[in-house]
Amino acid sequence: MDQSMHGLIGLSGGEWQDLCTRVLRMHHGADLVVVPDKGGDHGLEAYTLSGHLFQCYSPTEPLSTQKRYEKQRVKTTEDVGKFIDNSAKLKKLFGEHVKINRWIIMCPYIDNKDLPAHCAAQTKRVREARLEYADPDIHVICQTMEDYEFSYKKVVNAQLARMHLPPLAEPDYSSVGSAGVDKMREKLGKVHSLRDESRRNDYVRRLLYSYLNSQEFRAYIKDHYTEIHALLESELDDLEQRLVMEFVLDDSRAATQLQKVLVETEKRVKACAPDTTSGDSRTLAQGQVADWLMRCPLDFYEDLAS
């Protein structure tokens, strides 16, 4: 799976449906007909005039491969059933000129070969129903966003072009647990230039300022820019794995290592959201580094006294 798409796993049902709709609009243009949620559950989100029907499904994560498949299988079975049972409503919806030839369930992630096999069994089920609004050669299939990679990236780029974050605010420092702050202060004490308590306290305060504002930024991005949020979270998760597996082996001076992590994190943030100001990118990056310092992924060797 493309790294930028891995972060789509775990989107809420509404977020996933919204993303699918925008990507399908980009892909199919005026050929796409979106079916509003109001007015009854037809078991579909949209269809095309050329006969492709879409149902979008994102189960609540985290899930094992088997549990994810079971939920996807049940959802497919239920909604194919609605496609068969709601014949009066769907005949009216599609009219005389649309014959559905592809019934598609779109999921953020498909990692079990049994789902395509289950879709094949559902194909047999639909064909045997001999529906007036279904093509005799209809297929039930499963897809992910990788099947629409070009359109997905165009949607993401369109979001990037208009991304604007709210202004920074003075945060409520009392919302941060003292244990995490103490852990950050202890780790930064290994940086030679921050051994002075006054200088270290000021540095900690600045990191906490970025940390709390970055939390607000990320919540705002999640609410307003779903694709960017997915990409950003995926990139930062990947970088955290590097901290655990690679940076821990770095025996360079603490100050050098801290600077390296700050630069790499800001680089990742800027790659995900290039339209953000330098200040906002820096706030997001420093906020993430503060989070790592308060947890376990980032620590340093003691600098030898000079």
Side-chain angles (χ1 to χ4, degrees):
M1 176 184 286
D2 185 305
Q3 183 67 25
S4 69
M5 295 185 187
H6 193 272
L8 300 177
I9 302 170
L11 290 183
S12 70
E15 291 169 339
W16 177 242
Q17 181 178 337
D18 177 67
L19 173 59
C20 288
T21 300
R22 281 184 284 128
V23 170
L24 291 172
R25 283 190 192 279
M26 183 71 72
H27 188 83
H28 292 286
D31 197 44
L32 186 76
V33 179
V34 176
V35 180
D37 292 334
K38 295 181 180 179
D41 184 3
H42 294 88
L44 70 149
E45 259 75 66
Y47 66 92
T48 67
L49 300 180
S50 57
H52 289 192
L53 178 151
F54 300 95
Q55 176 60 294
C56 310
Y57 178 58
S58 177
T60 302
E61 298 281 353
L63 294 168
S64 66
T65 295
Q66 182 61 26
K67 285 292 185 183
R68 185 179 298 111
Y69 158 66
E70 289 173 2
K71 288 181 175 292
Q72 292 167 338
R73 180 192 65 203
V74 169
K75 180 64 172 175
T76 303
T77 302
E78 288 179 348
D79 287 338
V80 167
K82 293 176 184 178
F83 182 68
I84 295 172
D85 296 337
N86 292 336
S87 57
K89 292 181 180 179
L90 293 178
K91 181 179 176 181
K92 181 178 179 181
L93 178 67
F94 299 131
E96 298 179 1
H97 305 294
V98 175
K99 296 287 185 183
I100 302 301
N101 54 68
R102 294 290 185 274
W103 192 102
I104 302 166
I105 183 165
M106 290 187 66
C107 303
Y109 191 42
I110 297 172
D111 57 345
N112 191 313
K113 66 181 184 302
D114 289 336
L115 185 60
H118 181 66
C119 287
Q122 294 301 301
T123 294
K124 182 174 183 293
R125 178 187 176 195
V126 175
R127 289 184 180 184
E128 289 177 348
R130 300 183 184 278
L131 302 169
E132 190 173 341
Y133 44 85
D135 190 283
D137 294 326
I138 186 174
H139 287 272
V140 174
I141 62 175
C142 50
Q143 293 184 336
T144 68
M145 205 53 72
E146 288 184 285
D147 294 288
Y148 302 89
E149 183 174 0
F150 180 73
S151 296
Y152 168 74
K153 289 184 175 178
K154 286 183 71 174
V155 167
V156 171
N157 289 336
Q159 288 286 80
L160 289 173
R162 63 182 181 85
M163 181 175 172
H164 297 285
L165 295 176
L168 292 172
E170 188 62 26
D172 176 14
Y173 294 97
S174 66
S175 62
V176 184
S178 59
V181 177
D182 289 343
K183 186 176 293 185
M184 181 195 299
R185 186 175 284 108
E186 177 187 352
K187 290 178 180 180
L188 291 174
K190 300 173 185 178
V191 179
H192 186 74
S193 59
L194 296 177
R195 287 183 175 174
D196 176 79
E197 187 174 358
S198 176
R199 181 180 293 181
R200 184 164 72 252
N201 285 341
D202 181 65
Y203 198 85
V204 167
R205 185 190 65 77
R206 291 175 183 273
L207 279 176
L208 288 176
Y209 177 86
S210 292
Y211 170 74
L212 290 167
N213 273 294
S214 73
Q215 297 300 301
E216 293 294 323
F217 280 176
R218 286 163 77 164
Y220 185 88
I221 292 170
K222 182 177 182 179
D223 289 341
H224 296 83
Y225 306 97
T226 304
E227 304 78 32
I228 300 173
H229 177 263
L231 179 58
L232 179 62
E233 296 301 312
S234 179
E235 283 293 317
L236 293 178
D237 285 346
D238 178 69
L239 186 53
E240 182 169 325
Q241 290 305 308
R242 284 195 60 199
L243 288 178
V244 174
M245 299 303 297
E246 297 177 37
F247 281 85
V248 71
L249 304 176
D250 190 344
D251 59 359
S252 59
R253 291 173 62 88
T256 302
Q257 191 175 351
L258 176 59
Q259 184 178 31
K260 187 186 300 183
V261 173
L262 283 165
V263 169
E264 178 64 20
T265 308
E266 187 172 350
K267 179 181 175 183
R268 295 284 186 110
V269 170
K270 200 67 179 174
C272 296
D275 192 51
T276 55
T277 66
S278 296
D280 288 347
S281 295
R282 195 159 49 248
T283 296
L284 285 163
Q286 291 175 356
Q288 180 60 69
V289 172
D291 177 61
W292 287 329
L293 285 168
M294 288 190 285
R295 294 190 288 117
C296 298
L298 180 59
D299 202 351
F300 315 106
Y301 288 109
E302 290 275 3
D303 276 353
L304 297 176
S306 56

